[in-house]
Amino acid sequence: IRSFMELAAPEQVIILDELEASFEREFDYLVEAENLGRFHRELTMFDHEAKVPRPIAATSRVLVMELLDGVKLLDGVRSYAREMAAKQGKTLEELEREFKERLMREGAPERYTGPPAWQVALYLRSVRVRDAVVNGGVWAVNSVLSAFTGKRVSYWHTTLPPNAPRIVDTLMRVHGHQLMRMGAFNADPHAGNFMLLRDDRIGLIDFGATKVLTRGERLAACLLYAAIYRNDKSMLLDMVRVSGYRSKNFDEDVIWDLVRFGFDTFGQDLLRGKNVQQFMDDLYARDPWYESASNLTMAQFLSIRLRGVAMTLNHPVRCSDWWGPLAEQVLAEEGVPYESWSREVMQERFGPVTKAKGAATSRLASFFNGS
C-alpha cells in the first residue's frame, strides 16, 4: 500500500504514517485502559449527558470495563431506520441507498436547520406520556377481557427517533473539550464507538486510537479553529506558511478550501455542487501539494469522523460553530489571545525549521511542540 501511495498519491503518505502509528497503539489494551481511565476522570463535568466507563482490569490482550446499559449508536439509528423503511414498504438497504444517492446528487447542506434539541425532547416526552396513558387503558381492558375470554389486547409501543440535535451537540462539545482543553482525544469517533444509554445519556467507548497533543499542538488547533470561525484567511495562511506546507502555486483559495474541508465542513457552500472526490481532484489539479504537516492529521480525522456521525443522524454540522468560540476562550485563558498571533510571532515563538525529507513531511512538529 505504501509503495502504491508513494507513486500514485504521495501527498497522502503522511496520513498513512499517522494511521500506522495509531493502529500500533490501538491494540494494546493496557494503553487503552490507561486512556480510558484518564477520560473517565477528566470528563466528569459531562456526566449528566455523557458517560465514559471506568476501567476495571486489563492485560495487553484483554480489557474489562464498567458495563454501560444501552445499545451502540449505529445500531440504534439503524433499528429506527429499519422500522421507518418498513412503513414505506422498503428495506433498510433501499432506504440507505436512496439517502446516499440523494447526498451524491444534492450534496450536504451547510448546517442542520431542523427543530432544536428541546423541541425534539418535548415531542419524545409527549409520545412517551401518550403511550403510557394508552397502555394504562390496555391494562384495564386486559384485566377484564382475559378473565372472560382468555384473550389480551397488545400494548401500544411507538418507535421513537434518537434526539439527533442533542446527541450531536453533546458529541461536539465533549470532543471540543478533549481537543482544546485536554489535548487528548479519541481520533476514531465513528458511530460504533458511541452508545445510546437507557438513561438518555451518550456512552463513549473504545479509546484505543487516542491521540495526545503537546501544549503547542493543542494551541495550534485552537488558533486554526478560531481563524476558521472568524473567516480569517490571512491568519490561516500565515499558519500554513509557518507549518512548511508546500504546493506548486501556493494558491490561497485552494489552501483555504482544503483546510475548511479537512477540519470544518462538507457543506455545499464549500463543495459547490461537486461530490467529495470531484472536489478534491479539482483542488489538486489547480494546485498540487507535496509537503504538509502531520501533527494535526488526527485532529482532522476527528473532525471528519464526527461530521460523518452527524450526517448519519441527518444533522450536518460545521465544527467551527462549536469549536471556534471555545478555541478563542482557551487562547485567552492561556495568555495567548487570538489577536496576539501573527506570522512573526509564530516564527519567533517556535524558532527555525529544519527541512525534513519526503513527499509529505511533518513540519508543524518543529513549530508547535513548545510549551
Side-chain angles (χ1 to χ4, degrees):
I1 295 176
R2 173 175 292 279
S3 297
F4 172 79
M5 290 184 69
E6 287 175 346
L7 291 172
E11 75 282 356
Q12 302 298 334
V13 173
I14 196 168
I15 296 178
L16 182 62
D17 289 340
E18 190 70 17
L19 287 175
E20 285 179 345
S22 175
F23 288 150
E24 289 175 1
R25 299 187 296 267
E26 186 167 4
F27 298 105
D28 186 337
Y29 290 114
L30 288 172
V31 173
E32 182 170 351
E34 183 179 346
N35 294 335
L36 191 63
R38 177 181 178 182
F39 286 97
H40 175 77
R41 293 188 304 271
E42 297 188 26
L43 292 176
T44 54
M45 71 285 294
F46 296 103
D47 273 353
H48 62 290
E49 52 190 343
K51 173 69 174 177
V52 179
R54 175 177 53 86
I56 297 173
T59 69
S60 60
R61 296 191 176 187
V62 178
L63 171 60
V64 181
M65 69 183 76
E66 177 184 0
L67 177 66
L68 298 185
D69 187 10
V71 299
K72 287 190 174 182
L73 174 60
L74 181 61
D75 294 338
V77 171
R78 288 176 63 85
S79 177
Y80 174 74
R82 185 175 290 107
E83 291 201 26
M84 294 303 101
K87 290 181 178 180
Q88 300 175 35
K90 303 175 182 177
T91 65
L92 174 62
E93 291 70 24
E94 289 172 334
L95 197 65
E96 289 178 333
R97 184 169 61 252
E98 290 178 2
F99 175 77
K100 291 177 182 177
E101 289 173 352
R102 185 171 66 254
L103 191 63
M104 291 294 291
R105 183 175 61 253
E106 302 175 3
E110 181 183 2
R111 294 180 177 92
Y112 170 77
T113 56
W118 69 267
Q119 286 187 0
V120 177
L122 185 62
Y123 163 75
L124 296 177
R125 190 175 299 115
S126 67
V127 172
R128 291 189 181 107
V129 170
R130 183 199 65 190
D131 284 4
V133 171
V134 171
N135 287 328
V138 171
W139 175 84
V141 170
N142 284 338
S143 299
V144 176
L145 191 64
S146 61
F148 292 96
T149 67
K151 297 180 179 180
R152 300 179 65 87
V153 177
S154 298
Y155 284 96
W156 184 266
H157 172 71
T158 303
T159 301
L160 297 175
N163 189 338
R166 182 185 62 81
I167 293 171
V168 171
D169 177 65
T170 299
L171 293 178
M172 295 303 295
R173 287 185 291 106
V174 168
H175 287 84
H177 179 88
Q178 291 178 27
L179 175 63
M180 296 179 187
R181 292 199 182 278
M182 293 176 59
F185 56 88
N186 180 357
D188 191 25
H190 57 77
N193 283 346
F194 303 124
M195 296 182 66
L196 293 173
L197 304 185
R198 293 189 186 279
D199 60 8
D200 285 338
R201 290 185 296 173
I202 305 301
L204 309 177
I205 59 174
D206 193 351
F207 286 89
T210 294
K211 176 67 176 179
V212 179
L213 303 178
T214 66
R215 178 176 183 267
E217 290 168 341
R218 179 172 58 81
L219 294 181
C222 291
L223 189 61
L224 175 75
Y225 275 103
I228 295 173
Y229 181 69
R230 291 189 176 207
N231 202 35
D232 188 347
K233 185 181 292 188
S234 176
M235 179 72 81
L236 189 282
L237 291 172
D238 282 343
M239 287 191 69
V240 169
R241 290 187 180 95
V242 170
S243 77
Y245 173 91
R246 296 291 182 270
S247 65
K248 182 178 180 180
N249 306 313
F250 203 82
D251 186 309
E252 295 182 356
D253 291 332
V254 168
I255 294 168
W256 177 249
D257 285 353
L258 273 174
V259 172
R260 288 192 63 210
F261 177 81
F263 291 91
D264 193 34
T265 180
F266 294 143
Q268 278 302 303
D269 64 314
L270 175 65
L271 270 62
R272 295 181 287 275
K274 302 181 180 71
N275 63 38
V276 170
Q277 188 61 55
Q278 293 168 337
F279 175 75
M280 293 300 294
D281 287 347
D282 176 65
L283 293 184
Y284 192 69
R286 288 163 55 191
D287 187 18
W289 53 91
Y290 52 88
E291 281 190 36
S292 58
S294 70
N295 296 61
L296 297 183
T297 297
M298 299 314 288
Q300 177 181 338
F301 265 61
L302 168 70
S303 167
I304 289 173
R305 282 294 208 180
L306 284 177
R307 280 179 276 157
V309 171
M311 289 296 296
T312 299
L313 293 167
N314 199 26
H315 192 294
V317 298
R318 285 181 57 176
C319 294
S320 59
D321 287 343
W322 279 266
W323 298 349
L326 175 61
E328 294 200 31
Q329 184 179 352
V330 171
L331 290 172
E333 290 172 354
E334 301 206 15
V336 285
Y338 183 83
E339 291 76 12
S340 70
W341 291 85
S342 66
R343 194 194 319 180
E344 292 73 25
V345 171
M346 294 177 199
Q347 291 170 335
E348 178 183 352
R349 180 176 175 80
F350 302 114
V353 182
T354 300
K355 188 173 182 179
K357 298 179 180 180
T361 57
S362 174
R363 303 292 297 279
L364 270 176
S366 301
F367 293 95
F368 294 117
N369 61 7
S371 60

